Amino acid sequence: MLEHNLDEVRRRIAKACVAAGRDPAEVRLLLATKQVPAGRVAEAVRLGATLIGENRVQELAAKDPVLAPLDCERHFIGRLQTNKVNQVLRYVTCVHSIDRIDLADRLQRRLDTLDQAVDVLVQVNTSNEQSKGGVPPERAETLVRDVARHDRLRVKGLMTIGPLAHDAGQVRTAYRMLRQIRDDIAETAPSNVHLDVLSMGMSGDFEHAIAEGSTLIRVGSAVFGSRRRE
Ligand SMILES: *Cc1c(COP(=O)(O)O)cnc(C)c1O
């Protein structure tokens, strides 16, 4: 089942890339593994998954004994509380959800102590839905600049969670907005900021995200099946 689902997702990615005139190599597949037991995640890695994303520090910790030895990169894609910063850095190479400066401050402080660096994405709320994290679009540029002043944070791009809408037009508008924000910021960005990554698109809508320039899609239920509600 897992193998079949993964093949199906890869086929959808390839098709969306052809339709958009893009090279499939430009689009990374991140498997969103919340609520998925570590053994199943390990199976996905054996089937070729190279990148997984968790949205809770607790789950990262619980699955770490199984996942740490595997050849697979881990990212943090959920809402990050400042008091979880020290812990999350044990497990991940990239945090997708920087949406306020105090998070950057806390990461910088801890990374100073560890003498390490981490990749980060600035999360933008493109849907105007209160339940979603992310900085409002009009504050994205300022936040990127402020985060970039932290020399242990490597700003790699932007992330957004698409709207719940079933209306394709609304979904496309949100993803197009993220890309536009990226293009605008990139023109005047500090030289240490390379906004190559656009983390956008999930199981139900990643074709739209790919059409709008996504370089990293985050897919959970299309591979692992539906989850219980959180
Ligand atoms: C769960 C999750 C996803 C994947 O959602 P699916 O609809 O299951 O593909 C993507 N991004 C984030 C931030 C998530 O928490």
Side-chain angles (χ1 to χ4, degrees), residues 5-185:
N5 290 352
L6 263 172
D7 284 347
E8 178 62 16
V9 165
R10 290 186 182 123
R11 196 190 56 75
R12 281 174 59 191
I13 295 170
K15 197 171 163 204
C17 285
V18 169
R22 300 186 57 197
D23 178 352
E26 293 172 18
V27 182
R28 274 192 97 183
L29 172 61
L30 173 149
L31 296 185
T33 52
K34 56 175 171 276
Q35 296 182 23
V36 179
R40 296 249 297 157
V41 182
E43 197 185 334
V45 173
R46 277 194 294 277
L47 293 168
T50 58
L51 175 59
I52 67 172
E54 287 283 351
N55 67 339
R56 282 172 191 238
V57 178
Q58 227 174 308
E59 277 196 57
L60 274 168
K63 297 174 194 175
D64 187 61
V66 175
L67 299 185
L70 304 180
D71 186 16
C72 180
E73 201 182 331
R74 283 175 287 176
H75 289 183
F76 189 77
I77 62 175
R79 218 178 265 249
L80 183 57
Q81 293 167 276
T82 39
N83 65 2
K84 296 280 168 65
V85 156
N86 291 4
Q87 250 192 303
V88 80
L89 287 170
R90 292 186 201 143
Y91 309 113
V92 304
T93 54
C94 180
V95 176
H96 287 221
S97 47
I98 305 296
D99 61 358
R100 54 194 199 280
I101 199 63
D102 68 327
L103 210 43
D105 294 342
R106 287 289 280 266
L107 283 163
Q108 171 77 22
R109 233 183 298 153
R110 180 62 179 169
L111 289 161
D112 268 333
T113 308
L114 298 170
D115 192 21
Q116 285 174 11
V118 74
D119 292 345
V120 296
L121 307 179
V122 167
Q123 183 177 352
V124 182
N125 186 340
T126 53
S127 67
N128 205 17
E129 288 169 23
Q130 292 303 315
S131 61
K132 303 237 157 83
V135 66
E138 64 275 12
R139 296 218 312 265
E141 177 164 10
T142 307
L143 184 58
V144 167
R145 285 182 171 280
D146 290 345
V147 173
R149 289 199 192 94
H150 299 70
D151 62 357
R152 294 185 181 273
L153 304 185
R154 295 177 297 235
V155 183
K156 296 289 185 181
L158 305 178
M159 178 273 223
T160 198
I161 298 176
L164 277 175
H166 295 288
D167 173 44
Q170 256 172 283
V171 173
R172 288 287 278 257
T173 300
Y175 290 150
R176 192 171 312 140
M177 184 190 296
L178 194 73
R179 185 197 180 130
Q180 189 62 55
I181 292 168
R182 189 275 306 274
D183 292 349
D184 290 347
I185 298 177

Side-chain angles (χ1 to χ4, degrees), residues 32 34 55 77-78 159 161 201-204 218-222 227:
K34 56 175 171 276
N55 67 339
I77 62 175
M159 178 273 223
I161 298 176
M202 317 204 299
S203 291
R218 309 178 308 266
V219 176
S221 52
R227 296 175 295 269

